[in-house]
Amino acid sequence: MKNYTNNSFSHMQALIGGHVSLKYPQKLYLDITQDCNMNCIMCRDKITASGKTMNLDLFKKIVDETASYVSSYSLFNWGEPLILKDFRERVEYLGSKKRKDATIDNEGMFNDLYPTKIGDYVWDGNDYCHVSNYFIDRNCNAPFVSASIGYNGDIYLCCNVGDLVDNVNEKSFFEIWSGERYDTLRKDVNNVNLMPDRCKNCAWFNR
């Protein structure tokens, strides 16, 4: 008997249409810096210190708008936030604004290192197993439940970038999240003819 992978239910959300999404994402990645003092082979080929760090005022603007709704924040994506001198100030500010049940983590980075598919093997939540044992669902629901905001305010579909949606410097996050372009891209990520290039080979959604 074949089983469904443990993320198949989430993937089915992707089938219900671009206009069906949460008022705000459950998960928000704030890439507060792209600088990094590490040299991880799966991420980049050199240590970078370019000063690409999110302005504190922009950080507070995003937090002020989203903190009442978002249930989980990750203060990283492509950089190492712990090198920032004001990292503690940012965490304390977010902690003072967020919902009591919301989480702030960097631990999610390690969970995100487990793609749902590698070659002919899929992640079942505990281990990688051969695809012959599973029904594989390749639909992506990430743009319905999460978003990633770069150090400069650019909003992307997911933590793996996907595609650029808009920039939050001159607009509210809600305006962008509920806008026409976001709805279009939510549909496109599961259309083999329209999906962004980064989506075509996404290991996190069995591509």
Side-chain angles (χ1 to χ4, degrees), residues 52-102:
K52 292 182 177 179
T53 297
M54 183 179 288
N55 179 281
L56 185 58
D57 289 338
L58 176 59
F59 176 81
K60 290 181 176 180
K61 173 183 183 291
I62 295 168
V63 169
D64 289 346
E65 182 184 355
T66 63
S68 297
Y69 304 96
V70 173
S71 58
S72 178
Y73 288 90
S74 288
L75 302 183
F76 75 95
N77 203 13
W78 298 104
E80 174 49 71
L82 294 176
I83 66 176
L84 296 181
K85 293 181 179 180
D86 65 354
F87 180 69
R88 180 173 180 173
E89 179 183 356
R90 293 173 189 256
V91 172
E92 289 178 343
Y93 186 82
L94 177 54
S96 70
K97 297 286 186 176
K98 72 178 183 64
R99 290 167 23 181
K100 291 183 178 180
D101 62 340

Side-chain angles (χ1 to χ4, degrees), residues 174-185:
F174 176 74
E175 181 182 357
I176 297 170
W177 175 258
S178 59
E180 183 178 348
R181 175 164 170 75
Y182 225 130
D183 285 338
T184 297
L185 288 171

Side-chain angles (χ1 to χ4, degrees), residues 18-201:
H19 291 281
V20 183
S21 62
L22 303 171
K23 182 176 180 181
Y24 281 87
Q26 295 172 329
K27 178 81 170 182
L28 190 58
Y29 294 87
L30 297 181
D31 196 14
I32 58 178
T33 184
Q34 286 194 353
D35 291 356
C36 189
N37 58 353
M38 295 184 285
N39 191 20
C40 303
I41 60 174
M42 75 287 188
C43 183
R44 61 183 76 209
D45 58 2
K46 62 182 178 180
I47 295 174
T48 59
S50 58
K52 292 182 177 179
T53 297
M54 183 179 288
N55 179 281
L56 185 58
D57 289 338
L58 176 59
F59 176 81
K60 290 181 176 180
K61 173 183 183 291
I62 295 168
V63 169
D64 289 346
E65 182 184 355
T66 63
S68 297
Y69 304 96
V70 173
S71 58
S72 178
Y73 288 90
S74 288
L75 302 183
F76 75 95
N77 203 13
W78 298 104
E80 174 49 71
L82 294 176
I83 66 176
L84 296 181
K85 293 181 179 180
D86 65 354
F87 180 69
R88 180 173 180 173
E89 179 183 356
R90 293 173 189 256
V91 172
E92 289 178 343
Y93 186 82
L94 177 54
S96 70
K97 297 286 186 176
K98 72 178 183 64
R99 290 167 23 181
K100 291 183 178 180
D101 62 340
T103 60
I104 307 172
D105 71 80
N106 275 12
E107 182 183 356
M109 175 176 67
F110 300 105
N111 295 326
D112 286 347
L113 293 180
Y114 293 102
T116 58
K117 184 173 184 291
I118 297 179
D120 291 331
Y121 292 83
V122 294
W123 179 253
D124 70 354
N126 298 298
D127 201 359
Y128 284 100
C129 302
H130 197 269
V131 294
S132 61
N133 298 316
Y134 291 90
F135 292 105
I136 306 300
D137 191 330
R138 292 177 170 81
N139 292 298
C140 172
N141 79 319
F144 294 83
V145 297
S146 67
S148 177
I149 304 181
Y151 74 96
N152 61 352
D154 284 346
I155 296 181
Y156 297 95
L157 290 175
C158 66
C159 63
N160 195 38
V161 179
D163 204 351
L164 173 65
V165 184
D166 209 324
N167 188 285
V168 76
N169 274 287
E170 302 298 332
K171 299 180 181 179
S172 70
F173 179 84
F174 176 74
E175 181 182 357
I176 297 170
W177 175 258
S178 59
E180 183 178 348
R181 175 164 170 75
Y182 225 130
D183 285 338
T184 297
L185 288 171
R186 288 186 181 107
K187 297 174 184 177
D188 290 352
V189 296
N190 293 308
N191 185 319
V192 68
N193 297 315
L194 298 175
M195 69 176 62
D197 289 339
R198 288 187 67 90
C199 298
K200 293 177 181 177
N201 298 303

